[in-house]
Structure formats: structure tokens, C-alpha cells
Amino acid sequence: MRSGRPNALSHVFFVFGILVLSQFSGSAQTASPLRAFMDTLALQQRFNGLVLVVKNNTVLLERAYGKSDFRTGQDIRATTLFNLGSVSEEFTALAILRLYDEGKLDLDSPLVQHLPELSYNEITLRHLLSHTSGLPDYEQLFSIYSPATPLPSNTDLLTMLSKRAPSLRFRPGSRTQYSSTNFSLLALVVARVAGQPFEAYLSGSIFAPAGMAQARVWAPTGTEEQTDRALGFRSYILKAAELDPTEGQTQLVGGRNVLVSLNDLSKWHQAFTGTTWVKSATRALATAPVQLTTGEAATTGLGLPAANPGTQRLDQEGTQGSFRVLIRRDLATGTAVYLLTNTRTPGLYNLQDALWQAVTTGEMKTPPIAISAVVAEKLLIGDVASAVGAYKTAKRTNPKGYLFRESELNALGYELLDLNRIGDAIEIFKLNAQEYPRSFNVYDSLGEAYARKGEKNSAIIYYRKSLAIYPDNVNARQMLQKLVE
């Protein structure tokens, strides 16, 4: 099964050691080395996107790097819009909490009070906000009940849930399980309670008060012309970057499709740490752990991950197609790192850690090199045995100098499949299975490669292994049905 992609071909030639910058403390001193650090990474094509670094609510770095469209070479500008993916939920949650502040809704009111078309009487708004509703994810629902629906919308989702009433995965409030359905329904609740379209409410009551001039909700129609919006790209090592085919594939909003620019980031941070949108006590609900009916504390608040009670640090991650967003905030100090990319930049977590360490401790280290660059250097000359050997040597001799992740090898394997180097792909997927034997995804990928090669029995074996680890793997189940026919 396909996952994140590694970076571009030139990354192969920038394998270098750990760079340690001198310690620094003051804001003015910090900004210059931070910029030099990020400028270097961008020149080496190790980062493509937006970065905002804030210390004690003072902006230290606010920069755009790379291309918004690799086909035309269009640079990312301060006004270029980036898709926040599931981080869009933060704004939907703030809209609900704002309406709660205004006395227009009760967080414990039944969902059916606002959406009477539905039959889920036990689900409340609090359950939706905390991902404790038990509702299945809409991607799974559309694949089962309406696979041919082009650009599904929130209304399509509501109609499907009303007609089909799929069973809940668990009793509401008993556990936490992420589902994109939750915030899509909350967007409908906002529209009905506010008496205006969801997009209009966020623009007038959330974005405008914060001064986020470019921010908007985007419900793609499939016919709009490209404006100043970054496109999602799959960047590769072995071949040229390609437009992500999932770009603009859904009109669903609430849990997706909020767009922001570099100009919006610092305004967003200021509004979040202040009281622009909701009262301080209400905002605290967003990051306070929700109590489950089991008596345990959930890992989520009302719309955001639960903050660490010891440090008040809050980590968020969002993806949509090739867009990836990482945000780390210290709610007590106003220190934060925002990273947005339209290329699924590998090593993004390590980059976030490096920037966070620089701001909080004064020491900056270059994040490790993606191991995919080392492996790909051998694959470029067609020698898969040397590629596997290079991986093992790097892991044995310098494990901290490289980024070892399942997704790195998985992405390289799919590049090889796309280039019809099926035998080489199988060897890379085999290596991945050896390294990550408890991952359902590595066996799913092996199954696909063997199916492409025409070795049906081997494909069946690996798809079954994938399902044994993760019985809900829909792709493996569908492929097995085809293979055993």
C-alpha cells in the first residue's frame, strides 16, 4: 500500500554529517542562525513549504521555500495557500466553541437535535469534537455505499448516513478513534446554528477577527482555475515529481480543506494564544483530556489533541494527499514551530525536533538524512543488491546519522513498480518486511508487487499476512477477493 514519498533526486548528493550551530539565547541572535539553517536545507531541496518559528510569542522565522507547482516552476509566495488537511479541524472546533460561548448550542446536546435526519440518538457534539462518537470514517463509507460519487460533499455524507445508518464502531464516549466523519458533521451543525454557510461563518467569525486575510475554506468543484494555491506533489528520487492524483478530490469541509498562507501563520498563532476567538476558559476545553465512560482520560480534548499536563506542549499533525502539516506549541510560553509542505517532505518530524530544540535549548543540529537517499544512489545504477547492502551498512555503522522509517523503503519500492522494475521493487519490499515485520502495510505492498509480477500464490500469502495483522485492511481484502476468483 502506498505511503509517504521521499524527496527529490538531488537529495542523494547531499549526504552530510551533523552540523552544530553555536548556542544562542536572545530573539535577535536566534533569527539569523535559524534562517541560515533553513536556507541551507532549502538549497539542498530538503524542505519545500512554509515555516514559522515563534519564541515567547515573538516571531523568529517566517519564510516560504520551494515550488507551489513543480510543472511550471512557480515559487511559493507569502500569499500562496496551503491545505491544512485534518488540522482544519481546529477551526471547526473553535467555531463550535464560539457558538457555545454565545449560548447558541450546548456541547452535550444530542447530534440529532441539530441534524434530525440522523438516527444516532446517543451521539453528542462533545463526542464529535473528541472523536469518541464511534462513527465510521467517511472514506470507508463512500467506498462501500457510493464509490462512484464524484467530489463528495457534506450534504452527500449526511444523505448517506441518513439512508444507510451504518453501525457504530463502539458505544459513544467509551473510547477514542479518529474519524473524518465527525468534523464533517460539525461543519453542518455550525451552518445550521449560525444560519449561514460554514465557509461564510469561518470567514466572518474566525478568520477576519484574527486578521487572516488569505485564509479560506475550499470546497473544490473540479472546474476552478488555479489561483495562488500550492498544489500537492509526489516528489521522487528515481523520477520527476508528479501532481498528486488525489489533489482536490473531495468537497467535504470541517475536517479538511482549510487553506492558509504564510501571511496567515503568525496571525493564527497570535489568535490562538490570545482570546480572539473564544474565552480563555472555553479554549482550555479544547486541549483538556476528555473523560471516557470507562473512567480513563482520552488523548484528545474538544477539537485538539490533549496537551501534556506537565509541559503544556501540544503537538498536531495533519495530512491531505501530499500536504503535511506539523505544529508544536507550548501553551504556557507561546513558543511554537509550524511546518507546512506540499510534497510530504521526509524527515519532517526530525526537522521539527531540530527547530524546537534550537528555540528551547539554544542548540541546533541538522536532522538525519533520509535513508532512501542512500539506497536510491545504488538503485540509480540498477544494482538492487548494492542498495540493500548500503542500507544494512548504514544502519550498522551510523544508525543516528540517517532517518530509518518504513515509509522510506515503501516509497522507493513503489517508485520501482512505477518504473516497471518489479523484481527490484520486491527486493526492497522484502527488506522493509524484514525491518518492520509487525507492520501490515509492508506485506500489503509485497502482495501488490507479486500480483504485478503475476505470481498469484505469493501475492495471496502476503495479503493474508497483512490481514492477519490488521483485519480492517480493506485494500488487502478486496485484492484477495480478486486473486482467489
Side-chain angles (χ1 to χ4, degrees):
M1 187 179 298
R2 292 180 186 262
S3 58
R5 296 279 179 172
N7 38 354
L9 172 61
S10 56
H11 297 185
V12 174
F13 307 105
F14 286 100
V15 178
F16 53 88
I18 299 297
L19 169 67
V20 182
L21 298 182
S22 59
Q23 292 195 352
F24 43 80
S25 55
S27 298
Q29 293 173 298
T30 306
S32 179
L34 277 176
R35 176 166 174 174
F37 172 79
M38 286 303 303
D39 286 354
T40 300
L41 289 186
L43 284 172
Q44 296 167 348
Q45 298 183 38
R46 295 184 66 191
F47 182 74
N48 193 94
L50 309 178
V51 57
L52 173 70
V53 180
V54 184
K55 183 174 184 178
N56 299 329
N57 287 321
T58 298
V59 174
L60 304 182
L61 181 66
E62 190 176 22
R63 296 277 288 171
Y65 296 98
K67 305 298 180 183
S68 62
D69 189 336
F70 285 86
R71 301 168 305 177
T72 64
Q74 176 65 51
D75 290 330
I76 299 170
R77 298 179 288 195
T79 56
T80 302
L81 292 164
F82 274 66
N83 201 318
L84 294 182
S86 56
V87 173
S88 303
E89 293 179 2
E90 177 173 312
F91 296 99
T92 306
L94 289 167
I96 290 287
L97 293 175
R98 184 181 178 91
L99 293 168
Y100 165 74
D101 267 351
E102 296 170 349
K104 295 180 179 178
L105 55 76
D106 184 340
L107 298 178
D108 292 309
S109 62
L111 173 61
V112 294
Q113 177 181 320
H114 306 285
L115 303 177
E117 299 95 325
L118 302 179
S119 57
Y120 301 106
N121 296 313
E122 294 181 84
I123 297 177
T124 67
L125 300 187
R126 191 182 297 270
H127 291 143
L128 297 179
L129 285 166
S130 57
H131 288 290
T132 59
S133 71
L135 285 164
D137 194 273
Y138 65 63
E139 291 184 357
Q140 180 183 6
L141 295 175
F142 277 113
S143 68
I144 295 172
Y145 297 120
S146 188
T149 302
L151 297 176
S153 67
N154 294 61
T155 302
D156 293 327
L157 176 61
L158 182 62
T159 300
M160 178 194 300
L161 292 174
S162 175
K163 289 183 177 179
R164 300 288 186 171
S167 299
L168 298 179
R169 291 174 173 173
F170 51 85
R171 188 178 180 85
S174 64
R175 56 186 281 205
T176 305
Q177 188 173 75
Y178 183 85
S179 173
S180 301
T181 303
N182 293 318
F183 278 76
S184 298
L185 294 178
L186 284 172
L188 293 169
V189 172
V190 169
R192 292 194 181 181
V193 173
Q196 59 180 307
F198 175 72
E199 296 87 342
Y201 183 81
L202 254 62
S203 294
S205 298
I206 302 294
F207 301 144
M212 299 171 66
Q214 272 92 48
R216 64 187 177 94
V217 176
W218 180 54
T221 64
T223 59
E224 60 268 80
E225 293 184 7
Q226 169 64 13
T227 56
D228 196 2
R229 176 176 60 85
L231 298 178
F233 275 82
R234 292 178 173 177
S235 61
Y236 302 94
I237 290 181
L238 302 173
K239 61 179 187 175
E242 297 174 352
L243 186 66
D244 193 322
T246 65
E247 170 75 21
Q249 289 291 301
T250 176
Q251 285 189 307
L252 285 152
V253 297
R256 296 287 190 274
N257 286 334
V258 166
L259 310 183
V260 300
S261 70
L262 179 67
N263 288 342
D264 295 322
L265 292 186
S266 61
K267 304 291 179 59
W268 177 12
H269 178 78
Q270 292 165 11
F272 183 83
T273 55
T275 56
T276 302
W277 290 314
V278 295
K279 299 172 185 175
S280 296
T282 304
R283 188 190 64 202
L285 294 174
T287 57
V290 169
Q291 294 299 305
L292 301 175
T293 56
T294 60
E296 298 176 322
T299 56
T300 59
L302 298 185
L304 290 164
N308 185 309
T311 64
Q312 284 297 294
R313 197 180 92 177
L314 184 70
D315 285 287
Q316 293 170 262
E317 177 183 2
T319 60
Q320 184 163 336
S322 289
F323 286 91
R324 178 159 290 165
V325 180
L326 292 185
I327 302 171
R328 180 171 295 167
R329 298 168 170 137
D330 187 321
L331 303 180
T333 66
T335 297
V337 172
Y338 295 72
L339 292 170
L340 288 71
T341 176
N342 60 327
T343 61
R344 283 204 168 192
T345 303
L348 205 61
Y349 300 95
N350 299 79
L351 175 55
Q352 182 186 49
D353 288 341
L355 292 173
W356 188 260
Q357 179 177 312
V359 175
T360 56
T361 71
E363 183 181 16
M364 183 184 295
K365 293 182 179 180
T366 299
I369 301 295
I371 191 60
S372 54
V374 177
V375 178
E377 187 173 12
K378 301 298 183 181
L379 289 172
L380 285 169
I381 59 175
D383 189 346
V384 72
S386 295
V388 171
Y391 177 96
K392 293 180 177 179
T393 299
K395 191 167 187 179
R396 184 179 68 253
T397 61
N398 190 15
K400 293 184 178 180
Y402 299 98
L403 177 65
F404 293 93
R405 281 196 178 154
E406 173 196 333
S407 59
E408 295 292 318
L409 292 178
N410 191 70
L412 278 178
Y414 274 103
E415 287 191 41
L416 291 166
L417 279 184
D418 292 343
L419 293 170
N420 207 34
R421 292 171 60 176
I422 300 175
D424 290 349
I426 287 173
E427 293 306 311
I428 295 300
F429 287 143
K430 280 183 177 179
L431 173 62
N432 217 15
Q434 293 168 9
E435 293 293 295
Y436 304 96
R438 302 184 69 178
S439 166
F440 80 93
N441 195 57
V442 298
Y443 298 113
D444 188 288
S445 298
L446 254 176
E448 182 172 346
Y450 275 114
R452 286 274 298 272
K453 192 177 181 182
E455 295 188 12
K456 182 177 177 180
N457 291 337
S458 294
I460 290 172
I461 288 171
Y462 287 111
Y463 276 126
R464 284 177 174 166
K465 281 190 174 185
S466 179
L467 279 173
I469 296 172
Y470 181 52
D472 290 336
N473 184 355
V474 176
N475 181 68
R477 195 171 299 282
Q478 291 175 341
M479 288 302 298
L480 278 173
Q481 289 175 349
K482 294 178 182 178
L483 288 168
V484 298
E485 286 177 352

